């Protein structure tokens, strides 16, 4: 199996139910019942696979975004599919595309998470990916026996140990542990199953996992944190980093910073792919693209925009003049890197509260591009070739239309430029992303011992 | 949609990876790599659906059955698919059959369980079922931060509260909570979403669940406990009871006992279906059936048989004379009703330890039938018409052959006798099982208020 050439960017389809834009469900082209329609997601996944995307990607939260003021009732985010069960169903109707879902380390147990992704990986033939996050809001805490949200530093401490346990459990069985020798009655080699016996601050987990080792060595690990804690955790354990930078300079700085941290952990720059989100509004003309953008922005109710901004900043903005400047804000205990990015954005561009909420209603802080296929390809190419990204997670503002537009208009343009594949290079997600195969520690030791002998 | 006639028995396919018999994987017809082959399960599920089975059913454990003596290495039970991810994938390639999986209440959180089954239910169009169990062994405890297994009574206390929370979360959104009014920008009716605010001994869960209400009202709840605690929990909350009785008399007694408990909870006898397991060895002649039985029994290694029996009894039998009688045993903290059933069986039939392990290697205490299709249909019919069962969970000793035999030979015989359907009556699992639709509490209250007015 050949690896993809380094000139090819990676593309993921980031699929919010009816679209990434908060008002997407109001758009005439969006199916308003997408949140309970499996066929909607099957169509999206199959289209992304036909276009040779590396992966589809689902966000997650272990709480409904329900609030006392009823603002939630103006959005479609209250109830939707749980992403791992959704991905597993999609695994059965696709063959090559990667299947990535967010699951929190804050309100989960590592044995369950290790097991679900290992199982998804077996079912899909090596296409599973786990977006490892810490929970971002206190609503989630209230569903799991807690009165308040874990502190930021504690969440990362737990996340680090959580990742360590999951990685250990994924190596419970060596690749050739299963002999399946019917005559001798020997199904597995007891010397090739490993008990973990983890005892740490947060977890005590004996193992082994009751799922075989992954066809791709282990599921792909995705991370999104851009804080110091987040970047160190990513450098230590992530295969893919999903991030948000508005400018080429910021993207380059983040890229260089993160890639530079890999050496400490014995890793090479190409061992981790940086794939920021991008929200494209594509038109056959620039005017058509602008019209699409304005159309969906016009569907945002002010109270919804303000609530979404408050949520992303981790600070309630009710009561402030929405046409005044963004006030000074206290540091949130939720997603801090996103808060700081948004504040910097507002200060740099002199945005009012309204400007800022209209900015996040679509992209939630991600990079927005409005233009023709050529213009959008120019931007993506520049960021890709100038060391700002290894690829992108494409966020359709409205679905399925936003994904259709990108596939029909932008993907062919990227192919003309030699920037994107026409066929999958491999069968597993790891192969298609061009990531090295993680050998089992026992196999690595054996190989090193052999090398030492020669 | 018409309900199935009461003369029809319900049939579930209970699918252990390569077969229910501990030595199934050694059988020449069994795929020894079934534990990592999704297509194996897809074929089984599609065959069971073509035969109009009500459901497929997967057992589960949150630990690998790995032991220090390496006995596990002679069985195929060490590593397999996680059942909910497996069912979700199967949901995408089936259309009518019910999808039931075991998940423990002992080492899980109710929000996650409520969510997974609600999501599976949406994905499958109302075909999900949850087999609610308490964990049966200490291996599971060691994977979840514990040094020892929860005590039997504590497990049931937790299970009761767990079920209460899950049922509450499943009613978070009323059936008509989603308005999806694009013009007014009103997606949901805030008056039709319910915060749970559960505060109990074991759990504090605010809710609401972030998945819409189930197409079948709520997923079907299955239970298997036959202890006093288990039967009371089943009478209060179960839609289906999966059980094990060897004789018609015991089956009738259990059936009458459990159905008699329903009234206390305001339920009718037909609101709960009793579906014991049955392990059929079917031949075109009686001799062929016996040969099949002897063939698979001959593949049992003594140390495997002894270990399986020890595991089911919750007591280590190593060191006892395997050709002597079953010794007196202490009450286990694991599955007590199974232990008591097995001890009673050994005493009644004067079984040696070897006899008893050869008895459980196939059925794990379930009812075994060896004979022609007519003989097996006679037995099932008798138990069905004489008040011992509403249907059966068919356990193929070896898969796929054991399911194939039952479908090709026994199902046509049951149909000739008018005992089993030729077409599904409904689309949801609940409809096919002939269970009443559970209306949302708010809708029930509204209806009662309307009735009071007229």
């Amino acid at each position: 199996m050949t690896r993809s050439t380094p000139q090819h960017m990676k593309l993921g389809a980031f699929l919010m139910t009816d679209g990434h834009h908060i008002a997407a469900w109001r758009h005439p082209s969006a199916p308003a019942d997408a949140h309970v329609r499996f066929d909607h997601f099957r169509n999206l996944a199959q289209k992304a696979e036909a276009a040779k995307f590396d992966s589809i990607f689902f966000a997650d939260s272990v709480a409904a975004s329900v609030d006392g003021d009823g603002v939630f009732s103006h959005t479609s985010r209250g109830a939707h599919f749980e992403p791992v069960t959704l991905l597993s169903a999609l695994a059965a109707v696709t063959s090559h595309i990667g299947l990535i879902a967010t699951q929190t380390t804050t309100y989960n147990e590592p044995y369950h998470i290790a097991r679900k992704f290992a199982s998804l990986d077996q079912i899909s033939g090596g296409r599973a990916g786990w977006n490892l996050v810490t929970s971002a809001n206190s609503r989630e805490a209230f569903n799991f026996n807690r009165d308040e949200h874990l502190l930021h530093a504690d969440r990362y401490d737990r996340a680090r140990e959580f990742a360590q346990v999951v990685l250990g459990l994924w190596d419970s069985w060596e690749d050739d542990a299963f002999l399946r020798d019917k005559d001798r009655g020997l199904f597995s080699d007891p010397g090739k199953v490993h008990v973990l016996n983890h005892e740490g601050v947060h977890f005590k987990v004996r193992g082994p996992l009751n799922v075989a080792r992954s066809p791709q060595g282990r599921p792909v690990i995705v991370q999104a944190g851009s804080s110091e804690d987040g970047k160190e955790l990513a450098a230590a354990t992530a295969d893919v980093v999903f991030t948000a930078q508005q400018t080429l300079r910021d993207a380059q700085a983040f890229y260089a910073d993160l890639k530079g941290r890999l050496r400490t952990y014995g890793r090479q720059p190409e061992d981790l792919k940086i794939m920021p989100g991008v929200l494209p509004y594509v038109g056959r003309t620039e005017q058509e693209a602008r019209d699409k953008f304005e159309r969906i922005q016009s569907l945002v109710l002010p109270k919804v925009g303000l609530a979404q901004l408050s949520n992303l900043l981790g600070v309630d903005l009710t009561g402030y003049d929405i046409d005044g400047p963004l006030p000074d804000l206290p540091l949130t205990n939720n997603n801090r890197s996103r808060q700081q990015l948004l504040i910097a954005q507002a200060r740099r561009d002199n945005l009012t509260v309204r400007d800022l909420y209209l900015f996040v209603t679509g992209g939630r802080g991600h990079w927005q591009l409005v233009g023709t296929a050529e213009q959008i390809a120019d931007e993506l190419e520049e960021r890709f070739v100038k060391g700002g990204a290894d690829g992108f997670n494409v966020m359709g503002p409205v679905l399925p239309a936003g994904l259709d537009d990108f596939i029909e208009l932008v993907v062919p343009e990227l192919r003309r430029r030699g920037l994107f594949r026409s066929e999958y290079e491999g069968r597993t997600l790891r192969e298609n992303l061009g990531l090295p195969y993680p050998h089992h520690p026992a196999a690595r030791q054996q190989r090193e011992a052999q090398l030492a002998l020669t």
Side-chain angles (χ1 to χ4, degrees), chain A:
Chain A
M1 218 109 30
T2 56
R3 289 274 166 70
S4 63
T5 59
Q7 299 90 325
H8 280 176
M9 61 176 65
K10 307 301 169 192
L11 289 179
F14 191 96
L15 303 175
M16 300 285 275
T17 302
D18 39 44
H20 204 264
H21 196 286
I22 192 76
W25 74 273
R26 296 188 67 194
H27 195 277
S29 76
D33 57 354
H35 70 127
V36 292
R37 275 183 47 194
F38 174 65
D39 64 335
H40 170 74
F41 290 96
R42 188 180 54 213
N43 291 341
L44 290 171
Q46 291 177 340
K47 279 179 186 176
E49 181 166 89
K52 316 298 176 193
F53 272 54
D54 290 83
S55 55
I56 54 175
F57 187 149
F58 292 111
D60 192 39
S61 163
V62 287
S65 307
V66 166
D67 58 88
D69 302 328
V71 176
F72 77 94
S73 63
H74 300 284
T75 80
S76 66
R77 305 284 198 243
H80 46 78
F81 294 112
E82 187 281 326
V84 179
T85 42
L86 180 56
L87 280 183
S88 202
L90 293 174
V93 293
T94 54
S95 58
H96 281 76
I97 199 160
L99 307 163
I100 302 172
T102 299
Q103 296 278 280
T104 179
T105 55
T106 311
Y107 304 115
N108 262 309
E109 290 285 334
Y111 199 89
H112 289 311
I113 293 292
R115 205 175 165 220
K116 287 201 289 188
F117 282 98
S119 187
L120 176 62
D121 210 55
Q122 291 288 345
I123 289 167
S124 63
R127 298 187 282 133
W130 169 34
N131 181 31
L132 182 169
V133 302
T134 68
S135 279
N137 72 65
S138 53
R139 275 197 200 105
E140 300 183 274
F142 302 147
N143 292 328
F144 295 91
N145 289 353
R146 288 177 179 273
D147 293 320
E148 52 187 35
H149 195 34
L150 270 184
L151 292 177
H152 188 272
D154 293 341
R155 295 202 303 268
Y156 269 93
D157 196 52
R158 182 181 164 101
R160 264 186 298 274
E161 193 183 328
F162 197 112
Q164 193 187 341
V165 176
V166 169
L167 288 170
L169 287 172
W170 281 341
D171 282 335
S172 293
W173 302 82
E174 295 183 35
D175 295 297
D176 55 353
F178 299 103
L179 307 170
R180 305 182 186 116
D181 182 336
K182 292 188 179 193
D183 292 339
R184 289 159 66 210
L186 202 56
F187 189 81
S188 57
D189 179 345
K192 296 196 169 179
V193 55
H194 300 272
V195 175
L196 186 65
N197 277 330
H198 174 91
E199 292 196 30
V201 176
H202 301 275
F203 304 108
K204 188 169 174 183
V205 179
R206 189 160 82 169
L209 193 66
N210 54 1
V211 186
R213 197 160 186 268
S214 159
Q216 57 178 338
R218 60 170 177 256
V220 165
I221 293 189
V222 182
Q223 278 169 53
S226 300
S227 65
E228 269 303 302
D229 280 341
K231 283 189 280 199
E232 279 305 306
L233 184 59
T237 60
D239 297 303
V240 173
V241 164
F242 169 56
T243 180
Q245 281 85 30
Q246 291 298 322
T247 68
L248 175 62
R249 181 179 292 186
D250 286 349
Q252 287 169 325
F254 179 85
Y255 189 95
D257 175 7
L258 191 51
K259 296 260 176 172
R261 292 173 194 242
L262 294 172
R263 215 172 319 141
T264 318
Y265 300 96
R267 305 176 70 196
Q268 305 299 317
E270 58 272 22
D271 294 354
L272 184 151
K273 306 298 174 192
I274 297 178
M275 296 175 67
V278 62
L279 198 85
Y281 293 87
V282 197
R284 286 170 205 275
T285 63
E286 204 176 317
Q287 190 55 48
E288 191 186 88
R290 277 188 205 288
D291 289 347
K292 283 184 183 177
F293 177 70
E294 296 301 338
R295 176 69 194 275
I296 185 71
Q297 289 285 67
S298 74
L299 297 174
V300 179
L301 299 175
K303 62 181 161 186
V304 171
L306 201 61
Q308 190 185 22
L309 181 60
S310 298
N311 188 32
L312 290 172
L313 290 170
V315 180
D316 185 2
L317 292 174
T318 315
Y320 288 102
D321 176 10
I322 68 170
D323 291 313
L326 187 70
D328 288 332
L329 302 175
L331 188 66
T332 180
N333 180 35
N334 295 355
N335 187 326
R336 288 182 181 174
S337 48
R338 192 162 52 192
Q339 184 192 43
Q340 296 310 308
L341 284 170
L342 287 172
I343 292 172
Q345 170 90 357
R347 298 281 176 259
R348 186 176 63 235
D349 299 344
N350 246 331
L351 303 180
T352 62
V353 171
R354 187 197 299 271
D355 292 336
L356 193 61
Y357 84 58
L358 276 172
F359 169 70
V360 299
T361 45
R364 294 186 308 146
H366 284 282
W367 191 30
Q368 294 188 160
L369 293 174
V370 183
T372 63
E374 292 70 25
Q375 289 170 326
I376 288 175
D378 284 347
E379 295 276 347
L380 298 180
E381 180 171 8
E382 183 185 46
R383 201 160 283 200
F384 175 62
V385 300
K386 291 191 176 166
D390 296 311
F392 303 94
N393 273 295
V394 179
M395 302 164 144
V398 178
L399 290 172
L403 184 65
D404 290 343
D405 286 349
F406 191 88
I407 289 173
E408 286 164 26
L409 302 172
V410 182
V411 168
E413 180 59 28
L414 294 173
R415 289 209 178 107
R416 265 191 293 278
R417 302 181 186 196
L419 289 168
F420 189 60
R421 68 164 70 86
S422 298
E423 280 306 328
Y424 285 107
E425 297 84 23
R427 281 305 290 262
T428 71
L429 174 57
R430 201 171 278 283
E431 284 169 356
N432 286 320
L433 287 173
L435 292 166
Y437 180 84
H439 292 281
H440 192 280
R444 270 205 311 271
Q445 280 162 19
Q446 208 174 17
R447 185 178 312 180
E448 280 156 19
Q450 279 167 348
L451 283 174
L453 284 175
T454 57

